[in-house]
């Protein structure tokens, strides 16, 4: 009811922020991903207008969106919101540590003033100050340890997402190569941007067909596979290999696959 009322009235306040976030999580839980995306994006928009009051809230929305896009297979958006969540998480905890430090400084200042006015109680004041500082220091230390652990976990998650994204891209490139698809070379360049540049540095006169052939060798397609995918005779592939060796100055004793592996 709160969710419907907030959206009908067009309000963008704390209640609308909570309602859209919680309904987004509800839809996410029941795999209604389209509705979840609408609700969470609405919450994110409201958060932008209310962040001076609810500054800590964005990280929860970022994390929900990360989960949403992981489940729907949009790895790039999942990685984007994982990064946003990580940044927001550290901003929030950095602010908390700054507040602790400020409280510690205020506590010390008040203690020193009291010591000047009440010299007879200085022993107890110093003792209590020391204990208070120890407790605050212990609390701050525990937060720092927790932050370091969380940072490692988030770094691993981010790396795994990157690996999965790269694996998906490489699988698509390989599929295009097997189909001898015209888009193969363009997609290959996206995955290996430096490889083509290095080939053209060695020999700027390489033709597109030769670049495609080199790309297939980079992906470790065998001569027989290339012959099948490009519908030419196996002997023609062997001749192409010989011509590529000459154009790229690959020594006869060097394995051609090994040579391409050394290029990025």
């Amino acid at each position: 009811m709160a969710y419907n009322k907030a959206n009908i009235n067009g309000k963008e306040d704390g209640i609308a922020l909570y309602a859209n976030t919680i309904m987004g999580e509800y839809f996410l839980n029941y795999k209604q991903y389209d509705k979840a995306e609408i609700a969470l994006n609405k919450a994110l928009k409201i958060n932008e207008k209310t962040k001076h009051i609810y500054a800590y809230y964005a990280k929860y929305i970022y994390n929900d969106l990360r989960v949403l896009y992981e489940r729907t297979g949009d790895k790039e958006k999942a990685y984007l919101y994982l990064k946003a969540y990580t940044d927001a998480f550290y901003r929030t905890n950095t602010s908390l540590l700054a507040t602790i430090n400020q409280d510690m400084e205020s506590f010390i200042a008040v203690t020193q003033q009291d010591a000047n006015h009440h010299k007879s109680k200085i022993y107890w004041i110093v003792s209590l100050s020391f204990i208070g500082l120890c407790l605050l220091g212990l609390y701050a230390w525990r937060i720092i340890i927790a932050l370091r652990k969380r940072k490692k976990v988030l770094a691993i998650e981010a790396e795994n997402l990157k690996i999965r994204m790269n694996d998906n891209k490489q699988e698509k490139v390989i599929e295009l190569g097997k189909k001898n698809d015209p888009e193969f070379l363009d997609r290959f360049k996206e995955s290996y941007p430096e490889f083509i540049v290095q080939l053209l540095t060695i020999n700027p006169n390489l033709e597109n067909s030769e670049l495609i052939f080199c790309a297939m060798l980079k992906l470790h397609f065998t001569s027989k596979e290339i012959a099948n995918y490009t519908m030419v005779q196996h002997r023609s592939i062997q001749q192409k290999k010989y011509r590529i060796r000459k154009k790229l100055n690959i020594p006869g004793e060097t394995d051609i696959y090994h040579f391409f592996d050394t290029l990025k």
Side-chain angles (χ1 to χ4, degrees):
M1 288 172 65
Y3 170 71
N4 290 330
K5 189 173 180 181
N7 288 327
I8 289 170
N9 295 335
K11 287 193 174 183
E12 295 183 337
D13 54 12
I15 293 174
L17 175 63
Y18 293 142
N20 277 278
T21 303
I22 291 169
M23 285 304 296
E25 291 172 349
Y26 171 82
F27 290 136
L28 184 60
N29 186 58
Y30 286 96
K31 299 181 180 179
Q32 299 179 45
Y33 298 129
D34 291 342
K35 292 181 178 180
E37 185 176 25
I38 291 169
L40 291 171
N41 279 316
K42 178 73 173 176
L44 201 58
K45 180 183 173 185
I46 296 170
N47 183 74
E48 283 297 313
K49 296 190 176 182
T50 60
K51 63 184 177 183
H52 60 287
I53 302 172
Y54 306 100
Y56 66 92
Y57 211 72
K59 62 184 180 183
Y60 300 114
I61 304 172
Y62 290 142
N63 194 46
D64 290 334
L65 285 166
R66 174 186 71 84
V67 174
L68 168 67
Y69 290 122
E70 273 193 345
R71 291 183 183 177
T72 54
D74 193 334
K75 303 299 181 185
E76 291 186 13
K77 283 189 178 179
Y79 178 71
L80 174 70
Y81 283 107
L82 173 62
K83 187 176 183 305
Y85 168 70
T86 305
D87 293 342
F89 181 86
Y90 285 111
R91 277 199 304 273
T92 303
N93 287 285
T94 300
S95 299
L96 177 59
L97 285 173
T99 303
I100 290 171
N101 289 333
Q102 189 175 359
D103 289 345
M104 288 172 68
E105 290 172 3
S106 299
F107 185 73
I108 292 169
V110 170
T111 302
Q112 287 175 341
Q113 288 175 4
D114 288 345
N116 292 332
H117 289 95
H118 306 283
K119 289 184 179 180
S120 61
K121 299 178 181 178
I122 192 168
Y123 172 79
W124 291 107
I125 291 172
V126 172
S127 299
L128 290 172
S129 299
F130 179 74
I131 292 169
L133 287 173
C134 287
L135 291 173
L136 285 170
L138 179 62
Y139 180 59
W141 178 77
R142 290 181 66 183
I143 288 178
I144 291 168
I145 295 299
L147 282 173
R148 286 177 180 170
K149 289 181 179 178
R150 184 60 182 161
K151 184 178 180 181
K152 287 181 181 178
V153 171
L154 290 173
I156 291 169
E157 287 184 13
E159 192 59 33
N160 287 339
L161 264 177
K162 278 185 178 179
I163 291 168
R164 289 202 295 272
M165 286 165 61
N166 290 335
D167 287 346
N168 288 342
K169 285 182 179 178
Q170 181 145 343
E171 285 175 11
K172 289 177 182 176
V173 171
I174 291 172
E175 279 302 311
L176 291 172
K178 288 180 178 179
K179 295 175 183 177
N180 199 23
D181 193 292
E183 289 187 25
F184 168 68
L185 185 59
D186 290 333
R187 290 294 183 89
F188 179 86
K189 287 178 182 178
E190 291 175 9
S191 297
Y192 300 92
E194 296 298 322
F195 180 75
I196 300 298
V197 173
Q198 288 179 315
L199 289 180
L200 293 174
T201 301
I202 299 171
N203 187 338
N205 298 319
L206 289 173
E207 297 176 1
N208 255 20
S209 60
E210 292 171 326
L211 293 175
I212 291 170
F213 184 68
C214 291
M216 287 183 168
L217 293 176
K218 173 68 174 175
L219 295 174
H220 280 254
F221 287 2
T222 64
S223 297
K224 184 179 179 181
E225 286 173 334
I226 297 173
N228 289 336
Y229 300 150
T230 57
M231 291 182 290
V232 298
Q233 292 183 350
H234 185 269
R235 183 188 304 170
S236 299
I237 300 302
Q238 295 303 113
Q239 290 171 350
K240 271 191 174 184
K241 278 186 178 180
Y242 176 74
R243 287 197 296 272
I244 287 295
R245 278 184 177 276
K246 288 189 69 176
K247 286 195 172 187
L248 296 177
N249 297 320
I250 304 172
E253 66 274 9
T254 300
D255 180 74
I256 196 166
Y257 291 102
H258 176 72
F259 173 80
F260 286 124
D261 283 341
T262 61
L263 302 181
K264 293 182 181 179

